Amino acid sequence: MALLESINSPRDLEGLSLEQLEALASEIRDFLISEVSRTGGHLGPNLGVVELTIALHRVFDSPQDPIIWDTGHQSYVHKILTGRKDFSQLRAKGGMAGYPQRSESEHDIVESSHASSSLSWAEGISRAFQMTGQDDRYVVAVVGDGALTGGMTWEALNNISHDNERNLILVVNDNGRSYAPTIGGVARFLSKVRAQGSYRAFKSSAERFFGLFGAPGRSLYRGLRGGTRGFLSRFANNEDLYSNLDIKYLGPIDGHNIQDIEVALNQAKQKNAPVIVHVITEKGRGYAPARNDEADQFHAVGQIDPSTGENMESSDAPSWTSVFAEEMVTLADAHPRVMGITAAMLRPTGLYRMAQKYPERVVDVGIAEQHAVTSAAGLAYGGMHPVVAVYATFINRAFDQVLMDVALHRAGVTFVLDRAGVTGPDGPSHHGMWDLSILQVVPHIRLAAPRDAKRLREELQEAVAIDDAPTVIRFPKGSVPPELEATRRTADGVDVLAEAPHQDVLIVAVGPMAHMAMDVRARLADQGIGATVVDPRWVVPVAPSIVEMARNHRIVVSIEDGIRVGGVGTRIRQELRAAGVDTAVDEIGLPDEFLDHASRGEILESTGLTSQHIARNLVAQVLGMKVPVARPLPEEASEDSALNEAQDSTPRD
């Protein structure tokens, strides 16, 4: 990898010949396969943008010309070309992030990895450059065809088309996929462009014709090919998509031909106006195992064998996602009204199994969470019970729709939030740590957090039976923990996992934190402190039995893997106060900070979410050495009361 070793900044690309650039592209692919197979990460998307990224950094002067990557999971090549070739700790604590990160490099502009936002960023930056007289700077946004299904993209395009005097280049990286194949009308249109026989035939004949004239002819062909609105695209009726937006269009361009991409990008620079450059790429390019993977072409992989692509990670326990996938099929068998909705995540959320058996009852709306939620409200009105399955971090994007379209209309819609809590290597934008705080402000909503597979099935069945309010089921990434049976269940559905003769501490465990709570209980018992452990199952609304149990304990502690601010613990404390219960509450959860990438265990450790740390604090609180202080023991309270009475009756001079 002699060429790759010599590349430490984008400017190192300038003197390379076409042959050297092509060799460099091959070296980068080998590097990606070797490194990402050891650490895991987004392999397929990056294999597809090697030539495109090289061309972008040759034509534009980053960071003088900001390059914005939509979602950012295809930024590995960008990182390599900007001097970051240490992939040994990719996505691990202290290592390189899997997405652009400003703290890593001045070349990284946008850190958020949520799709469809790049054009809005680009519109804002280009407008700022225009208003501050920075007319020599270009703004480049790289957006995938999957992100075109997001409404925010089209909102941005509407504004961009209103002002045609900015140096703004929009590169559509069209590989026909988001995770899975991109769906919808836009996808069909782009697919038509890629596959249209007239386009392919004209391209081939034109290339042969101009090739008869040698190098000058081939140069002329490339120039004509990249003409305004796409010279070749006129013969493919390709201009219709953008014509009404009044945005210049170039393409489609072979995304693996560095020379063709550079010609198109240089022509775009000369327009002095917003330009769309349509680039056709292949996800997983150059790596047969990725290209042959029908599911998602190695969109994201764990540790794999680089020669075969086989997964090197194994677990005997099923994943939360697989349990949900199986239960949805069971529910669909029993209830014809149940249907599934997802936003470009059919396989990652597990709905693909139901789709295989009941394809007419599963809808993939593309990267369009807002539409997914409101569409679900409409389906509920029409007599169905939709189950909307998304990652927990992405429900943030549709909060208004949950509030105003589902809850306000008392629609029976179930939301299943995968990857809730700390997700680990994907970093701040992918932690699903805000859902409990955000969603519990929605009137009449019911939130469930199962502690194991049995409870996931049980609570999902209960959720789809509710037709007059939104329901939520949330669970983390990874394997399901062992089943944890309750000693009893209260009349209002709270599972009591353990009780002690001395009612010192009431531990309220949210979902899979129940296992940690049981460990905390054991540690407290070693110190002579009795603890009751309960799993509310449905954490919102707070069950009356929890209020009554809190009344009889000296202190209450909630343990959750969401943020403490506005979390379940806060809700419990409010309910206790409303009921006149003065038992102190300690809310254990995540800080309201953007948490960096690391393993789930490392993040929990760094935020104090360990049984050892929690038990140590509780011991101090029970002993009255730390706030919040536990209520005194009954005998201590009696002694204090007697002492106070005696003091009050003592004659004073």
Side-chain angles (χ1 to χ4, degrees):
M1 298 193 178
L3 278 170
L4 183 56
E5 291 175 1
S6 68
I7 306 299
N8 297 301
S9 80
R11 303 285 64 83
D12 294 333
L13 299 169
E14 292 177 352
L16 301 183
S17 67
L18 179 60
E19 290 74 21
Q20 287 175 312
L21 293 172
E22 291 172 347
L24 175 63
S26 179
E27 289 184 16
I28 290 174
R29 282 196 171 88
D30 290 342
F31 176 88
L32 288 171
I33 294 168
S34 173
E35 295 297 315
V36 179
S37 66
R38 290 188 299 102
T39 63
H42 290 92
L43 182 56
N46 285 282
L47 292 173
V49 298
V50 175
E51 290 85 2
L52 172 60
T53 309
I54 291 172
L56 284 168
H57 277 294
R58 276 173 54 88
V59 173
F60 297 99
D61 182 18
S62 175
Q64 172 71 11
D65 300 329
I67 300 175
I68 301 165
W69 301 90
D70 199 278
T71 71
H73 58 231
Q74 77 280 47
S75 63
Y76 292 5
V77 185
H78 163 79
K79 290 182 179 237
I80 293 170
L81 299 179
T82 53
R84 289 168 282 175
K85 289 181 285 191
D86 184 3
F87 276 54
S88 60
Q89 295 296 308
L90 176 67
R91 302 164 72 242
K93 185 178 181 180
M96 189 166 62
Y99 296 91
Q101 192 169 68
R102 288 182 177 179
S103 61
E104 282 185 5
S105 173
E106 62 179 349
H107 296 277
D108 291 359
I109 310 302
V110 176
E111 297 190 14
S112 173
S113 58
H114 289 189
S116 308
S117 65
S118 62
L119 300 196
S120 296
W121 270 97
E123 193 276 336
I125 294 172
S126 66
R127 186 183 296 275
F129 287 173
Q130 183 186 50
M131 295 177 71
T132 54
Q134 302 181 70
D135 298 329
D136 60 335
R137 303 182 71 178
Y138 294 86
V139 181
V140 183
V142 183
V143 58
D145 58 293
L148 291 181
T149 62
M152 195 172 174
T153 294
W154 296 95
E155 293 172 16
L157 281 170
N158 182 59
N159 267 198
I160 291 168
S161 67
H162 185 68
D163 184 353
N164 285 332
E165 297 181 354
R166 283 183 270 164
N167 295 326
L168 177 56
I169 290 92
L170 312 177
V171 179
V172 177
N173 174 30
D174 180 8
N175 60 20
R177 309 180 73 88
S178 47
Y179 280 80
T182 307
I183 58 86
V186 173
R188 287 194 298 272
F189 178 86
L190 294 176
S191 178
K192 179 181 176 183
V193 172
R194 290 191 296 269
Q196 195 158 45
S198 58
Y199 163 71
R200 295 199 311 270
F202 184 86
K203 174 181 178 295
S204 178
S205 60
E207 191 170 8
R208 287 195 303 271
F209 174 78
F210 285 102
L212 297 174
F213 299 92
R218 289 190 292 272
S219 178
L220 178 60
Y221 163 74
R222 287 192 298 271
L224 290 172
R225 182 183 177 187
T228 301
R229 297 192 186 276
F231 176 73
L232 295 178
S233 71
R234 292 182 181 276
F235 295 85
N237 296 317
N238 180 32
E239 65 205 50
D240 297 341
L241 183 62
Y242 305 106
S243 60
N244 291 330
L245 292 172
D246 197 23
I247 301 176
K248 293 179 172 58
Y249 172 89
L250 302 175
I253 311 296
D254 181 356
H256 302 293
N257 187 312
I258 296 174
Q259 197 171 25
D260 282 0
I261 302 170
E262 287 190 19
V263 168
L265 293 176
N266 278 309
Q267 288 184 344
K269 289 179 68 173
Q270 296 168 12
K271 303 300 179 185
N272 296 316
V275 182
I276 291 173
V277 180
H278 183 184
V279 179
I280 310 295
T281 63
E282 293 179 344
K283 196 173 184 178
R285 173 86 170 192
Y287 187 40
R291 294 296 301 154
N292 295 333
D293 179 46
E294 295 183 1
D296 62 7
Q297 295 181 325
F298 283 19
H299 179 85
V301 298
Q303 294 180 334
I304 60 173
D305 183 334
S307 59
T308 65
E310 293 182 359
N311 187 12
M312 303 293 288
E313 302 173 344
S314 61
S315 174
D316 295 331
S319 68
W320 287 98
T321 306
S322 66
V323 174
F324 165 70
E326 293 171 359
E327 187 59 27
M328 279 298 295
V329 175
T330 301
L331 285 171
D333 290 341
H335 305 287
R337 294 173 55 244
V338 170
M339 64 177 301
I341 301 177
T342 190
M345 306 192 84
L346 192 66
R347 186 168 289 273
T349 62
L351 279 180
Y352 73 97
R353 292 193 181 178
M354 180 180 172
Q356 290 173 334
K357 189 170 185 179
Y358 300 104
E360 74 284 356
R361 290 165 60 188
V362 177
V363 180
D364 185 349
V365 301
I367 302 175
E369 290 86 358
Q370 293 174 314
H371 167 64
V373 173
T374 301
S375 175
L379 285 162
Y381 177 80
M384 305 299 290
H385 189 106
V387 177
V388 181
V390 295
Y391 285 2
T393 184
F394 297 136
I395 199 65
N396 305 348
R397 316 185 85 191
F399 173 76
D400 182 68
Q401 287 70 31
V402 173
L403 181 67
M404 291 297 172
D405 293 319
V406 176
L408 178 62
H409 295 86
R410 304 301 296 262
V413 177
T414 296
F415 299 95
V416 174
L417 307 184
D418 202 328
R419 276 53 167 188
V422 172
T423 57
D426 284 333
S429 63
H430 272 57
H431 293 314
M433 53 191 275
W434 294 279
D435 58 312
L436 291 173
S437 294
I438 290 174
L439 293 176
Q440 70 167 292
V441 305
V442 176
H444 312 296
I445 200 166
R446 307 178 196 186
L447 298 170
R451 65 181 181 267
D452 54 32
K454 183 177 180 180
R455 257 49 61 168
L456 170 55
R457 296 186 181 96
E458 182 181 74
E459 290 160 31
L460 186 59
Q461 291 171 5
E462 294 171 10
V464 299
I466 297 171
D467 286 327
D468 62 351
T471 53
V472 179
I473 310 289
R474 54 119 49 196
F475 49 79
K477 179 181 180 180
S479 300
V480 179
E483 288 188 2
L484 186 57
E485 294 297 340
T487 60
R488 65 184 177 92
R489 177 170 291 179
T490 65
D492 55 7
V494 174
D495 277 352
V496 180
L497 305 181
E499 294 178 274
H502 302 293
Q503 296 180 325
D504 295 314
V505 182
L506 174 63
I507 304 176
V508 182
V510 176
M513 309 307 285
H515 290 78
M516 182 183 294
M518 293 295 285
D519 190 26
V520 171
R521 176 185 177 272
R523 292 172 181 268
L524 293 177
D526 291 340
Q527 302 298 317
I529 298 171
T532 301
V533 180
V534 299
D535 170 14
R537 299 176 61 253
W538 291 88
V539 297
V540 174
V542 176
S545 62
I546 289 181
V547 176
E548 291 307 308
M549 281 187 274
R551 192 188 301 275
N552 300 319
H553 285 75
R554 299 173 61 195
I555 191 170
V556 177
V557 59
S558 62
I559 306 176
E560 57 191 298
D561 57 349
I563 62 170
R564 291 190 296 267
V565 179
V568 173
T570 302
R571 184 69 170 259
I572 292 172
R573 177 162 49 83
Q574 291 170 340
E575 294 295 330
L576 295 187
R577 297 300 174 266
V581 178
D582 64 355
T583 309
V585 179
D586 190 11
E587 302 112 303
I588 306 294
L590 299 170
D592 54 332
E593 299 286 346
F594 293 108
L595 304 177
D596 208 354
H597 59 277
S599 71
R600 177 177 168 87
E602 288 170 334
I603 293 173
L604 295 180
E605 175 86 29
S606 67
T607 56
L609 268 171
T610 65
S611 55
Q612 183 180 22
H613 184 82
I614 296 169
R616 186 184 300 120
N617 282 344
L618 279 170
V619 170
Q621 290 161 354
V622 169
L623 295 176
M625 300 166 57
K626 187 174 182 177
V627 175
V629 176
R631 184 189 297 121
L633 290 167
E635 56 267 27
E636 294 174 346
S638 298
E639 291 174 2
D640 290 342
S641 178
L643 180 61
N644 291 333
E645 290 178 3
Q647 290 175 340
D648 291 340
S649 63
T650 301
R652 290 176 172 82
D653 294 334

